[in-house]
Amino acid sequence: MVTPYKHEPFTDFSIEENRRALEKELQLAEANLGKEYPLIIGGERITTDDKITSFNPAKKDQVIGYVSKANRELAEKAMKVADETFQWWRKTKPEMRADILFRAAAIIRRRKHEFTAHLVLEGGKPWKEADADTAEAIDFLEYYGRQMIRLKDGVEINSREVENNRYHYIPLGVGVTISPWNFLFAIMCGTTVAPMVTGNTVLLKPASTTPIISYKLMEVLEEAGMPDGVVNFIPGSGSEVGDYLVDHPKTRFISFTGSREVGTRIFERASVVQPGQKWLKRTIIEMGGKDTIVVDEDADLDAAAEAITYSAYGFSGQKCSACSRVIAHEAVYDELLELVVEKTKKIKVDDPTNYYTYMGPVIDEASYNKILDYVDIGKQEGKLMVGGDGNNTTGWFVNPTVFADLDPKSRLMQEEIFGPVVGFSKASNFDEAIEYANDTEYGLTGAVFSNNRVHIEKAREDFHVGNLYFNRGCTAAIVGYHPFGGFNMSGTDSKAGGPDYLVHHMQGKTTSEML
Ligand code: NAP
Ligand code: MG
């Protein structure tokens, strides 16, 4: 029997011992920079001449490491191995597969600060954010392991006197996991082990900006007893290897997390039936957000300002759940805006290796430029209250930025910026606020600050987002507590870390025997 699921606690870095532990791991990680990492196909380490270089976003010339890069031939080799491995892996005991996840969780927990230190450097995450990313990776392992045990005997259906009926889940086949850089550990881990624990084999293509953490996960899974060929590590260019695998007739399903642009491209390509393909591919696609916090006229404004600040600037606003829009009731708009501006001015943007840093860099030059382009748009569309600039001398640092008096239809209030930029619009009543909140093509997270029970109930029914929070911020979903995924152009709402998630990686089989 496994113990009931409980989420991994966050580390309290105000305790000196914890602080020392992470500092030590950061030093060790910095001493280990610049290594080379191979591909892993069927357990075999393969080194290529062509490499992906992973940089530290806070020190743009610092190389974290060099990762071998898969091309089409190597992707094909990985597909062959995954397909062969699936033929026996699909019949393994679910408990045995879950045990790999439990052991992997234990290994990561024992070396927690080592992983967190790596995320600080490779992802540019401040300590608290990096620690939460590691904790979430552990949570996915613990939660999905338990979910597999819950689902292993299928679901009860009806039988009759003359017949005995059963309904159980079987795996799908070879799955392609394509992961983003923002939760470089947690999302990459969750979207790799969910297909694996359900009996599929996996081709893992991580984001090219942050591939090394995936190699480290591979080592953990191997140490935990995962047989060769079950998960194959094939970093490479999204447009080359990604397209090839999405189109491949042997691909049975694709689990993608990333931008709306790439997500819709994968959805379209996956729908094409290729010569020799024997199924319609399944897609699990989680995309962007344009997430709103609504503040009602009777709300606790200090709490709202605090939540807006944290949700907008946590990990430099680079969360799909980040608050990038505030819709405030006109009665409290000015006061709330002033509180948020004051809090924003106090935020320290610095190298995330420092314990005190609240906000670090954005991920790379392309993001830096994109965010500052949006700042220019914001200057035309609204009123710049604070921030609006960056500094790229040592790394990709953008200052936290507030724009006021925006039209809810403005580009700043409609398009995903994926940086520390938050826009304010005014509503004349609560109904209008919800109408504005819903007026984007996305539907991922949202929050409402209100003490009016009727308004809270209205939002519960009408605010159309996958994750809706009351009187708290709109980020920081916890596995098993806040199943996560969005509506509309935010994705297929597969709800990662939720009770239905694993079923997306399986198919139900009905057997009926005449007695
Ligand atoms: P991205 O640019 O879409 O990349 C995501 C992954 O797709 C990367 O591994 C990328 O590889 C790969 N890719 C690129 N082109 C491809 C193609 N043609 N075929 C197959 N794969 C391809 O997204 P990102 O910049 O990494 O992540 C940020 C986005 O993710 C934001 O929009 C954010 O909202 C979203 N996100 C959503 C959720 C959610 O749960 N809904 C969670 C986290 C993030 P390369 O790196 O090699 O290009
Ligand atoms: Mg990208």
Side-chain angles (χ1 to χ4, degrees):
M1 277 292 285
V2 288
T3 55
Y5 170 76
K6 240 173 82 183
H7 81 84
E8 180 69 15
F10 302 121
T11 309
D12 180 354
F13 289 114
S14 70
I15 296 170
E16 195 181 336
E17 190 191 341
N18 292 339
R19 216 158 52 229
R20 288 256 166 84
L22 187 56
E23 266 156 11
K24 191 177 134 222
E25 290 298 342
L26 278 165
Q27 279 166 13
L28 276 172
E30 288 190 279
N32 272 310
L33 292 177
K35 281 195 178 162
E36 293 196 7
Y37 301 86
L39 311 180
I40 307 176
I41 298 175
E44 185 192 344
R45 266 58 180 168
I46 299 172
T47 303
T48 60
D49 293 335
D50 202 7
K51 301 266 196 295
I52 298 171
T53 308
S54 175
F55 292 98
N56 178 350
K59 297 192 181 100
K60 58 188 187 181
D61 300 323
Q62 187 177 67
V63 173
I64 306 299
Y66 304 93
V67 181
S68 281
K69 195 172 173 183
N71 51 28
R72 287 175 182 211
E73 289 68 45
L74 288 164
E76 183 58 38
K77 181 181 164 90
M79 175 58 83
K80 196 160 176 290
V81 166
D83 189 37
E84 283 164 12
T85 308
F86 176 66
Q87 304 315 323
W88 64 269
W89 176 248
R90 68 191 171 92
K91 295 185 178 172
T92 51
K93 274 171 74 180
E95 294 91 329
M96 178 268 238
R97 302 194 300 252
D99 283 344
I100 298 171
L101 272 57
F102 298 142
R103 177 97 195 282
I107 293 167
I108 297 169
R109 194 178 287 114
R110 280 197 285 274
R111 292 162 43 197
K112 200 169 171 180
H113 297 312
E114 174 196 327
F115 290 94
T116 300
H118 180 84
L119 301 180
V120 170
L121 299 178
E122 189 172 35
K125 293 202 169 196
W127 288 25
K128 195 179 158 194
E129 302 285 341
D131 180 65
D133 198 342
T134 306
E136 192 177 348
I138 295 171
D139 287 346
F140 277 130
L141 291 160
E142 297 282 7
Y143 184 78
Y144 291 151
R146 284 167 177 76
Q147 287 295 314
M148 189 63 239
I149 291 171
R150 181 178 72 89
L151 290 168
K152 73 182 167 60
D153 298 320
V155 174
E156 206 177 291
I157 51 165
N158 296 311
S159 289
R160 295 183 288 191
E161 267 160 35
V162 293
E163 67 179 14
N164 191 2
N165 299 328
R166 278 190 214 147
Y167 182 73
H168 66 284
Y169 297 108
I170 62 168
L172 291 168
V174 178
V176 177
T177 291
I178 302 175
S179 60
W181 50 263
N182 69 333
F183 283 88
L184 54 161
F185 197 6
I187 292 181
M188 179 274 302
C189 175
T191 56
T192 299
V193 302
M196 182 265 249
V197 78
T198 40
N200 305 285
T201 51
V202 181
L203 303 179
L204 166 60
K205 196 220 87 64
S208 297
T209 22
T210 58
I212 295 171
I213 184 63
S214 312
Y215 183 84
K216 289 172 79 73
L217 175 69
M218 288 297 293
E219 287 183 325
V220 169
L221 292 173
E222 288 175 336
E223 188 185 337
M226 181 183 76
D228 293 344
V230 172
V231 177
N232 301 279
F233 175 59
I234 45 164
S237 139
S239 45
E240 192 190 347
V241 173
D243 278 349
Y244 182 75
L245 291 174
V246 167
D247 294 346
H248 203 291
K250 288 261 159 92
T251 295
R252 180 64 183 81
F253 67 102
I254 298 142
S255 176
F256 167 84
T257 311
S259 61
R260 176 192 188 294
E261 186 195 350
V262 176
T264 44
R265 177 190 176 92
I266 289 175
F267 185 69
E268 284 170 14
R269 293 184 82 109
S271 71
V272 178
V273 179
Q274 305 288 343
Q277 186 178 316
K278 291 212 300 191
W279 44 66
L280 300 179
K281 289 171 191 165
R282 192 176 290 178
T283 55
I284 301 164
I285 293 186
E286 298 307 325
M287 308 189 288
K290 189 70 192 170
D291 310 299
T292 308
I293 295 186
V294 168
V295 182
D296 202 359
E297 59 182 328
D298 65 352
D300 178 337
L301 297 187
D302 278 318
E306 186 61 37
I308 290 165
T309 315
Y310 181 71
S311 304
Y313 310 133
F315 189 37
S316 311
Q318 302 173 110
K319 299 182 188 180
C320 50
S321 56
C323 168
S324 63
R325 314 167 90 219
V326 175
I327 310 285
H329 191 288
E330 59 183 14
V332 296
Y333 180 90
D334 291 328
E335 194 183 340
L336 178 73
L337 180 61
E338 198 184 309
L339 285 170
V340 171
V341 168
E342 283 317 305
K343 284 184 192 298
T344 304
K345 283 181 183 158
K346 290 193 189 123
I347 287 174
K348 248 191 127 35
V349 181
D350 209 335
D351 189 324
T353 49
N354 300 322
Y355 157 62
Y356 56 79
T357 298
Y358 180 85
M359 207 181 100
V362 300
I363 193 72
D364 60 11
E365 184 171 16
S367 287
Y368 179 86
N369 291 333
K370 180 181 160 196
I371 296 162
L372 291 182
D373 284 348
Y374 271 108
V375 166
D376 285 338
I377 296 167
K379 284 177 185 163
Q380 285 152 35
E381 292 183 329
K383 187 170 160 203
L384 177 66
M385 302 298 293
V386 56
D389 55 354
N391 183 343
N392 61 2
T393 340
T394 56
W396 310 112
F397 294 95
V398 178
N399 285 315
T401 299
V402 178
F403 282 103
D405 304 346
L406 290 158
D407 185 319
K409 293 245 185 259
S410 61
R411 287 186 64 189
L412 222 71
M413 292 295 267
Q414 291 290 328
E415 297 172 18
E416 188 182 47
I417 301 169
F418 228 54
V421 180
V422 61
F424 275 66
S425 293
K426 199 182 280 184
S428 49
N429 56 54
F430 192 76
D431 286 357
E432 192 175 81
I434 296 299
E435 192 188 309
Y436 290 161
N438 281 332
D439 184 22
T440 79
E441 62 177 11
Y442 295 105
L444 191 45
T445 76
V448 172
F449 277 81
S450 178
N451 286 313
N452 182 324
R453 192 45 65 185
V454 175
H455 287 177
I456 289 176
E457 282 315 305
K458 182 196 159 61
R460 200 191 299 276
E461 279 181 15
D462 294 345
F463 194 165
H464 193 60
V465 291
N467 285 65
L468 178 61
Y469 303 102
F470 296 118
N471 295 318
R472 52 156 285 185
C474 58
T475 61
I478 294 177
V479 171
Y481 294 69
H482 317 110
F484 187 84
F487 301 151
N488 294 349
M489 278 301 173
S490 290
T492 50
D493 192 46
S494 54
K495 285 290 189 283
D500 315 318
Y501 189 70
L502 291 189
V503 177
H504 296 293
H505 305 78
M506 299 187 282
Q507 49 199 342
K509 183 165 185 171
T510 303
T511 52
S512 179
E513 181 184 351
M514 287 308 288
L515 299 174

